Amino acid sequence: MTIRANKFTPEVLLSAPRRSEGNPNSDGSKILYSTSTYSFEEHAKTSEIRVLDVKSGETSLISDSEGASEPQWLDDDTVLLLSEGKEATSVKVGPVKGFGNSYDAGTIKGSVGNVKLVSLDDGAYGIAVTGKATPSGDLYNEKEDKKPQTSGRLYNSLFVRHWDHWVTDNRNAIFLATLKKDGDKYKLSQLKNALKGSQLESPVEPFGGTDNFDISSHGLVFTAKDPDLNPATHTKTNIYTVTAKDFWSELSKGINEPFKVPIHGFEGASTRPTWDNEGKAIAFFSMRTDGYESDKNQVFIIPDWTNPGWVQHLWASEDGKGSWDRSPQSITWGANQEIYFTAEEAGRISLFASSSDFSKSTRTPKLIVKGGGISSAILLKDGSLFLSSSSLIENSLYSMLPASAFLEISANGGSYSLPLNDSAPGQDPATRATKYVSSNTRSGSTFGLSRDQIEEIWFPGANNKTYVHAWVFKPSNFKKGHKYPLAYFIHGGPQGAWEDSWSTRWNPAVFAEQGYVVVAPNPTGSTGYGQDFTDAIKGQWGGLPYQDLVKGFEYIKENLPYVDIERSVALGASYGGYMMNWIQGHDLGRQFKALVTHDGVFSMTAQMASEELYFPFHDIGGKLWENPEGWAQWDPSRFAGNWATPHLIIHSEKDYRLTMNEGLAAFNVLQVRGVPSQFLTFPDENHWVLKPENSLLWHETVLDWINEYAGLEKYTEWRAKNGAVRK
C-alpha cells in the first residue's frame, strides 16, 4: 500500500489498490490476480496483473499493459490473458516468469471477456468467451458498425432500456474455440457462436458474467432468459446444455442446438450452472416464482450429461420451499462428490458443504467456514480450497482451507465433522481452521482499522415477533464515556443486507472515522435470515421494515450509552432511499437532524417507468390498475406535507431502474416547503456512483451535509486544514 493519511478518508478508500479474487495454480503455490489504483493527483487509473508466490509472499508483475485483463492458468507455469485494443482483442500466452516474452495465440476482431478454459485430453484447451453478437450472429465490432443518420429509436415491445443503457439489436453471446499447439506455441481456432440462431442471450444482463455459463470436455451449459417471455415482466431463465462426446474436436463442423433442461414446478430464475471436475455432472440453482428476483435458490443436479432431462432436486420439501433455509450464491465441486456453496447467513457470506450424491444428501449443507464475505472458493488438486474474501475492515483476503481440515463424509448418510471458523482478518491464525495466505491491507491496519471497532446487536422487531440483526461500527479512536452521533444506515434491495464485507460505495468505516457510531440494521425483507423473513416485505414496504427501524432506534437510545441520540442522521440508497423519503413523512423523521436519499423512490406510480416492471408488480402485490390501493398505501409522496427534516437528495441521470425524476420531485418538494435541502446529480452515472472522481464528490457532499447537522467539522474543511498525505 502506498497511501498514508491521518485517518481513513474517502480519498484513502478510493485510492487504495483494488485487488481481484485470486486465481491459484493447481497446488496453490502461485496466485494470479489483477489490481487497480486510482491517483487523484494524476487523475488516472493504473492497472496491473501480478502473481503472488505464496511461500515467499513476494509478488511480481505479469503485465501492466493497458487493456490487459482476465489472467488464466494454462498450466502451473503458463499464463493466458486478454489484451483489448481499439479494434481487436489479442489472446496472449506466455511464461509466468518472464511474461514479457509472451506471444499472440490469436486475435479476436471485437471486444470479449469472461474467459473460461478447460483442459482436453490431447493437450489442447477448450476456451469460451462472451461478447456482443449482431443479429446475424457475428461478433459485434464497434469500429465496423455503420452509424445511422438519425438519433431516433423505435420500439414495439417492453424493455427499451436496461440498467444504464438503451437496448439495441445486439445481444450477449457465448463464443467457443480451441487452443492447440502449433509447434511450440498455442494457436487459437476460429470462434463459433454457440447461441447463433437460438434467439437466446447469455450472459444475462446487466450483471451476468462467468457465473452464467460453464464448459467441460463435453460441452457447454448456460442460463438464458426464456425467449417466449418479456424480460421486463418476467424473471424466468432456463438452463441449456450444448454437448457431444467429442464436442471440441467437432467444433469446426458445427454446434448442436441448445437443449432446454426441464425443471418442473420452478418458473423463476435458474442460475450458476457448474460442471463437476470430471465433466460428468452439472449443478445449478433455480427459483420457484417467476417475477420474484429474490426468491430462494434451490439446488439441482444433472447426474449425467448424456441425459440432461434427468434432474435431481436436493433437499426438496412438500411445501416446495426446500428444507435448507438458505439461498446459496455459488457452487464449487469438490472431490468424492462433495459440493460447496457460499450463502448469506446473519450478515455474513459463509461456506457450506454437502454431498451431491442424491442417496446421501438427506442432510442439509453444513457450515464449514464462517465469513466475512467469501466471494469465491476454488478447489486445488490436493482437495484444499482457496478462498477469496473481504470484511468490514479488509478489502481483500486470500486464505486456504487445507484438505487436512476436513473429515470425510461418513458412510452412514452424510454426517459431517468439519471445523468452523471466522475467516475475518485479525483473528489469531493459530485458532482458525483456514490458513492465511495474503491480506491486501494487513488485516485493516493499513487503514488504521481493527475488528475492535465492530459489534453486533439483536433487537426486538415489529410487534416483538422477530429479532433484527444490526452491525455497529465505532470510530477507531473510540473512548469509553464519550458520546458519538449516530449514522443510521438503511440498505437497498429491499431484499438485501448489510454484510461483513468491503464496499467502496457505502463503507461504514469512512463514516465512523468522521466521528459517528454507524448502526446498520437488517430489517424485515433482508436476506440471510431465512426465506420467510425475506418474503415478509411483500406488500409491506413502509410497514414492517419501518416498524423494525423505529424499534432499532429505540433500542439504540436505551441500550447504547455511547450514542448521542440527539445528533442522529440517517442515510439510504435505492430501497434505503425510498425508506429515507418514507421516514421523512413520518414520526421517525423528526428524530434525525438530517437525511440523505440516494436514488430513492418518491412516488410509487413512477415505478411504471422502471425497466424491470416485474419488481414492483411482485413486491407491491399486483399491477397498478389491479391493486391501486396497494400502490398508494406505501407511497412516500402522499406524506410530503410532513416533510421538515433537512435532506440531501442524490440521483444520477443514467439510472433507468429508478429514474432521475424521482430525485428531482423529492428535491422540489423540499424546496417549495422551505426545508433545507441540496440536490446532487451525475449525468454519467447509473444506480451507483462508480467513477473515482464522482465518488469523491459524492463522499464530500454527503459528509459535509451530515457533519454540519450532527455538530461535526465539515469534511472538506478538515481536509483543507490537514490534507491527506500520499507518497
Side-chain angles (χ1 to χ4, degrees), residues 377-619:
I378 299 175
L379 182 72
L380 305 180
K381 66 180 180 181
D382 69 349
S384 300
L385 289 174
F386 176 84
L387 306 177
S388 296
S389 65
S390 69
S391 76
L392 284 165
I393 62 166
E394 166 66 78
N395 71 359
S396 174
L397 173 70
Y398 298 156
S399 58
M400 201 90 70
L401 185 63
S404 59
F406 296 93
L407 293 179
E408 292 286 340
I409 302 174
S410 66
N412 62 358
S415 62
Y416 285 78
S417 178
L418 296 169
L420 299 180
N421 81 288
D422 189 331
S423 64
Q427 185 180 358
D428 181 359
T431 67
R432 67 188 186 194
T434 52
K435 178 183 177 181
Y436 171 90
V437 174
S438 171
S439 166
N440 201 35
T441 66
R442 299 179 183 177
S443 299
S445 62
T446 303
F447 295 144
L449 305 176
S450 73
R451 293 298 295 185
D452 294 339
Q453 296 175 247
I454 303 169
E455 294 181 2
E456 299 174 66
I457 58 174
W458 292 82
F459 57 86
N463 303 320
N464 295 316
K465 291 183 178 180
T466 58
Y467 276 79
V468 174
H469 176 236
W471 294 100
V472 179
F473 206 115
K474 301 175 183 177
S476 59
N477 60 357
F478 179 85
K479 296 180 181 178
K480 291 184 178 180
H482 287 231
K483 283 182 173 288
Y484 301 86
L486 168 69
Y488 208 29
F489 273 25
I490 314 303
H491 68 66
Q495 295 90 352
W498 296 116
E499 298 165 340
D500 187 9
S501 59
W502 191 257
S503 173
T504 54
R505 291 184 289 114
W506 285 87
N507 191 307
V510 165
F511 292 81
E513 294 308 276
Q514 291 294 303
Y516 293 95
V517 168
V518 179
V519 178
N522 287 327
T524 299
S526 299
T527 50
Y529 303 89
Q531 193 62 35
D532 287 345
F533 191 73
T534 302
D535 294 345
I537 198 172
K538 182 177 180 180
Q540 283 286 324
W541 267 37
L544 294 175
Y546 174 75
Q547 296 173 39
D548 289 342
L549 296 173
V550 171
K551 290 275 191 176
F553 189 84
E554 293 172 351
Y555 180 92
I556 295 166
K557 183 177 181 179
E558 296 170 3
N559 295 277
L560 302 185
Y562 49 83
V563 172
D564 184 351
I565 207 71
E566 299 300 322
R567 293 194 291 154
S568 299
V569 297
L571 311 88
S574 196
Y575 172 78
Y578 160 89
M579 185 52 72
M580 290 300 101
N581 294 343
W582 183 260
I583 285 172
Q584 174 70 280
H586 291 78
D587 292 344
L588 184 57
R590 307 292 79 77
Q591 303 300 312
F592 297 106
K593 294 296 184 182
L595 302 172
V596 177
T597 290
H598 175 104
D599 289 19
V601 176
F602 172 73
S603 170
M604 295 302 285
T605 56
Q607 290 301 284
M608 288 302 300
S610 179
E611 12 86 284
E612 295 181 342
L613 290 172
Y614 59 75
F615 182 77
F617 290 174
H618 174 273
D619 271 31

Side-chain angles (χ1 to χ4, degrees), residues 111-341:
S111 177
V112 297
N114 297 317
V115 179
K116 282 198 171 182
L117 295 168
V118 60
S119 178
L120 306 177
D121 292 338
D122 58 359
Y125 289 86
I127 182 172
V129 294
T130 69
K132 288 290 184 183
T134 65
S136 64
D138 299 325
L139 181 64
Y140 173 72
N141 188 312
E142 184 178 5
K143 294 294 183 181
E144 297 177 356
D145 191 23
K146 295 181 180 180
K147 304 301 180 184
Q149 299 300 316
T150 175
S151 61
R153 302 183 182 100
L154 179 64
Y155 296 89
N156 56 20
S157 67
L158 289 173
F159 230 49
V160 302
R161 58 185 188 178
H162 195 198
W163 188 248
D164 59 4
H165 63 277
W166 290 83
V167 174
T168 71
D169 290 334
N170 300 320
R171 298 288 187 268
N172 285 344
I174 302 167
F175 294 85
L176 305 176
T178 56
L179 276 170
K180 294 183 178 180
K181 279 286 185 72
D182 183 7
D184 61 349
K185 294 182 178 180
Y186 284 98
K187 184 177 181 180
L188 181 73
S189 70
Q190 183 179 0
L191 291 182
K192 294 286 186 178
N193 182 352
L195 278 57
K196 186 174 182 178
S198 67
Q199 296 185 320
L200 300 174
E201 181 177 13
S202 186
V204 179
E205 290 193 330
F207 306 121
T210 55
D211 59 328
N212 277 197
F213 70 97
D214 201 13
I215 55 175
S216 79
S217 58
H218 293 124
L220 168 71
V221 61
F222 64 94
T223 184
K225 286 279 191 178
D226 192 307
D228 297 325
L229 301 174
N230 192 288
T233 52
H234 296 272
T235 58
K236 181 173 174 58
T237 60
N238 303 316
I239 299 295
Y240 298 88
T241 61
V242 184
T243 56
K245 183 178 180 180
D246 299 313
F247 181 84
W248 296 96
S249 62
E250 298 178 357
L251 190 62
S252 60
K253 300 177 183 178
I255 300 175
N256 294 335
E257 182 180 348
F259 173 81
K260 177 182 172 182
V261 175
I263 317 167
H264 301 296
F266 281 71
E267 300 299 323
S270 297
T271 56
R272 287 278 181 176
T274 309
W275 286 93
D276 72 358
N277 301 306
E278 286 74 41
K280 177 183 177 182
I282 299 168
F284 62 90
F285 302 142
S286 191
M287 297 179 177
R288 286 194 305 160
T289 308
D290 185 17
Y292 185 24
E293 65 181 2
S294 297
D295 198 6
K296 186 170 73 172
N297 282 324
Q298 299 194 44
V299 182
F300 292 81
I301 304 288
I302 301 173
D304 185 351
W305 71 271
T306 64
N307 186 10
W310 175 29
V311 181
Q312 296 177 341
H313 181 190
L314 300 188
W315 314 300
S317 62
E318 291 185 2
D319 62 6
K321 294 182 177 181
S323 56
W324 187 30
D325 197 17
R326 290 296 175 263
S327 185
Q329 299 177 350
S330 69
I331 299 169
T332 301
W333 286 89
N336 303 316
Q337 295 181 308
E338 294 167 349
I339 192 166
Y340 306 100
F341 308 97

